Amino acid sequence: MAVLASAVARSLGLPIDPVYLPGIGRNLALLYEHAAKLQALDISGAQHQAPIYRP
Amino acid sequence: MTGAAWADLGAADIAEAVRSRRVAAVAVAEAVLARIGERNGALNAFTRTLGERALAEARAVDAKIAAGVDPGPLAGVPYGVKDLFDVAGLTTLAGSRINADDPPAARDAVLVRRLASAGAVLLGTQNMDEYAYGFTTENAHYGPTRNPHDPARVAGGSSGGSAAAVAAGLGAFALGSDTNGSIRVPSSFCGVFGLKPTYGRLPCSGTFPFVHSLDHLGPFARSARDLALVYDALQGADDDDPICTPAGIEPATPVLSMAGELRAAVLDGWFRDMAGQEAIDAVEHVASALGAQRQVVLRDAAAARSAAYLVTATEGAALHLQRLRQRAGDFDPAVRDRLLAGALFMASMVVRAQQLRRRFRDDALALFGDADVLLAPATPCVAPEIGQQTIRIAGAEWPTRANVGVLTQPISFIGLPVVCVPMRGLLPIGVQLIGPPWREDLVLRAAARLEAAGVVSAATVG
């Protein structure tokens, strides 16, 4: 995962200062925890749309 | 009435007094500017005050009245704006050090222009979390905003300066923004009324964004009546904001005290599981006053909160990508790390988050078949102490900064209108009154009814 993240960061031109790595790692782990909750749902047929309401 | 006493009055009372010439708008502005001078050092609610501009706007109001010209519904009412609203001549900092190098705004944000047309008097800009990414207003560059109810505690965020200012009487109202709870959380912690309108109701033109697909703007005030009065002055279509509704203005003030049944139901499940006892008690008190007998469950609220978290991190990262490339070291480290993680996260899960959004919205709308207003706590607890790293929710410790909004995030994720009403105790805590899309009138009516019954209230603190 660290190798993949480093490769993505390089491709985006983002800084990979070693000082940032623990914080980035913590936050990536949190994002994957949240993603796991979505993975557990059956929403494959749902439309992909932000909730813009029509008055 | 003494000069200082004018600063304690609400927007409607000040406007009425100015319009009827019982007080000059300049005298009100001077009183509030003096109070800011006395109290802001301890609270750090305002980042910049605009004394000359405020007095000039107040003089213009007085001149209109002298000339027999209608000065507007907010004549002489002093207010502040979160530091992400453009103010002509000032750089829009958005709580950051990076933006300090930007040129000054050429003109006011559209909502500030509308308030000027209504006769309101701008006092200055107010503190916030950097780039609105936080719930505590513990700003690494400009310092924390302190809660007027207890200066050792946070004001909430990210519109913490705005809520603290209104609670302390440093203005009759304020404007903030709410992406995941940034009006409702500080409203809860500071014990003031806050309105997050329907997504797309108020234009965001001339404000610094955070997450375009989640951003809302709205007011804080010390009464439901003032909240409605300000909200009415803010409404209207805007060609510069493609998300803003082209629908006409739907004034809430005329229907605020309208009689008639308001069917209320309490959100159970996630909204109870993630609330502490004081938050549960506050909701029960409000539910009892509104005659809410039913409890309803909004399916997948926990997942919706997670989806909002992912959309925020990734869309926020996309917005700041160039700044992250060039000036990563100038960010608040906590914000930088969250944004960098968002930039590296996988797109397929963001699409999945958007898929859930649509279904979650449909589930929420179905609940309004039997209810006009849904009730939920605004925050899991009262304001934490400044520097407090974790809060206790459901028997576990959670990082404070990212989790104070667990109860607000699912609702803004689907753009529903919410008034956060303040329950007073040793420390205040807020309750969300949640309405169907475009029905701000319902949640404002419910707030006014609760206030008239003495169930909720806000007063100047300190």
Side-chain angles (χ1 to χ4, degrees), chain B residues 24 45 82 84 89 91 106 193 199-200 277 280 330 435:
Chain B
K82 186 175 183 174
L84 51 67
T91 294
F193 291 80
Y199 179 71
Q277 194 57 49
I280 292 170
D330 290 332

Side-chain angles (χ1 to χ4, degrees), chain B residues 267-446:
Chain B
L267 283 176
D268 206 349
W270 171 261
F271 296 95
R272 186 179 178 93
D273 296 343
M274 298 301 284
Q277 194 57 49
E278 60 241 292
I280 292 170
D281 291 346
V283 171
E284 286 180 353
H285 209 53
V286 165
S288 172
L290 290 176
Q293 307 278 336
R294 290 190 316 118
Q295 300 194 331
V296 294
V297 173
L298 184 48
R299 179 177 62 149
D300 295 330
R305 188 265 166 155
S306 289
Y309 198 100
L310 298 182
V311 170
T312 299
T314 51
E315 206 179 311
L319 177 73
H320 290 289
L321 208 52
Q322 195 63 14
R323 292 179 196 86
L324 290 168
R325 287 182 183 126
Q326 296 176 343
R327 300 189 60 175
D330 290 332
F331 277 84
D332 173 338
V335 173
R336 177 197 63 218
D337 293 349
R338 293 173 84 181
L339 290 173
L340 282 170
L344 303 180
F345 193 63
M346 54 184 177
S348 60
M349 288 313 302
V350 182
V351 172
R352 201 167 172 77
Q354 293 287 10
Q355 286 177 306
L356 174 65
R357 199 172 186 186
R358 178 64 179 260
R359 193 180 81 178
F360 187 64
R361 178 196 76 165
D362 292 345
D363 287 350
L365 296 187
L367 296 180
F368 289 111
D370 298 315
D372 300 310
V373 181
L374 302 174
L375 310 178
T379 51
C381 54
V382 298
E385 293 185 356
I386 290 172
Q388 186 176 325
Q389 294 300 305
T390 60
I391 52 172
R392 192 162 187 81
I393 311 175
E397 295 292 325
W398 300 68
T400 303
R401 196 163 171 162
N403 289 288
V404 174
V406 290
L407 302 170
T408 51
Q409 278 181 284
I411 307 303
S412 34
F413 186 52
I414 49 173
L416 300 176
V418 184
V419 169
C420 181
V421 292
M423 295 286 298
R424 296 175 77 178
L426 286 176
L427 288 168
I429 192 162
V431 175
Q432 296 184 85
L433 312 179
I434 304 158
W438 311 115
R439 296 307 306 271
E440 286 83 356
D441 61 313
L442 286 177
V443 286
L444 285 162
R445 269 175 62 202

Side-chain angles (χ1 to χ4, degrees), chain B residues 43-272:
Chain B
L43 295 174
N44 196 28
F46 277 84
T47 48
R48 292 170 292 190
T49 50
L50 297 166
E52 285 184 21
R53 172 173 169 154
L55 293 173
E57 287 188 335
R59 277 193 293 271
V61 168
D62 289 333
K64 278 186 177 179
I65 292 170
V69 176
D70 184 350
L74 292 170
V77 179
Y79 76 103
V81 294
K82 186 175 183 174
D83 211 349
L84 51 67
F85 284 80
D86 285 352
V87 174
L90 293 185
T91 294
T92 307
L93 295 174
S96 75
R97 185 163 66 195
I98 295 169
N99 283 30
D101 295 336
D102 290 350
R107 65 174 185 166
D108 293 340
V110 64
L111 293 189
V112 175
R113 297 203 302 273
R114 287 177 183 176
L115 290 173
S117 298
V121 171
L122 181 62
L123 297 165
T125 61
Q126 294 161 332
N127 201 15
M128 58 183 284
D129 288 283
E130 186 184 57
Y131 292 127
Y133 208 171
F135 286 121
T136 59
T137 311
E138 294 171 286
N139 188 297
H141 315 297
Y142 304 106
T145 292
R146 296 181 177 276
N147 192 314
H149 292 267
D150 178 351
R153 295 177 186 269
V154 300
S158 63
S159 313
S162 304
V166 172
L170 311 183
F173 72 92
L175 296 187
S177 68
D178 188 317
T179 302
N180 283 295
S182 288
I183 287 175
R184 292 160 290 160
V185 167
S187 167
S188 176
F189 287 169
C190 290
V192 296
F193 291 80
L195 169 65
K196 184 202 79 61
T198 307
Y199 179 71
R201 171 69 90 176
L202 299 182
C204 294
S205 308
T207 60
F208 197 89
F210 176 20
V211 180
H212 281 293
S213 68
L214 292 170
D215 287 344
H216 306 68
L217 304 176
F220 297 91
R222 291 191 295 272
S223 73
R225 180 173 68 149
D226 284 359
L227 210 56
L229 189 65
V230 175
Y231 167 62
D232 287 350
L234 296 173
Q235 289 186 59
D238 176 32
D239 291 339
D240 293 332
D241 181 350
I243 292 167
C244 183
T245 176
I249 296 169
E250 298 177 309
T253 304
V255 298
L256 203 58
S257 52
M258 196 166 81
E261 186 186 14
L262 278 172
R263 301 167 304 161
V266 177
L267 283 176
D268 206 349
W270 171 261
F271 296 95
R272 186 179 178 93

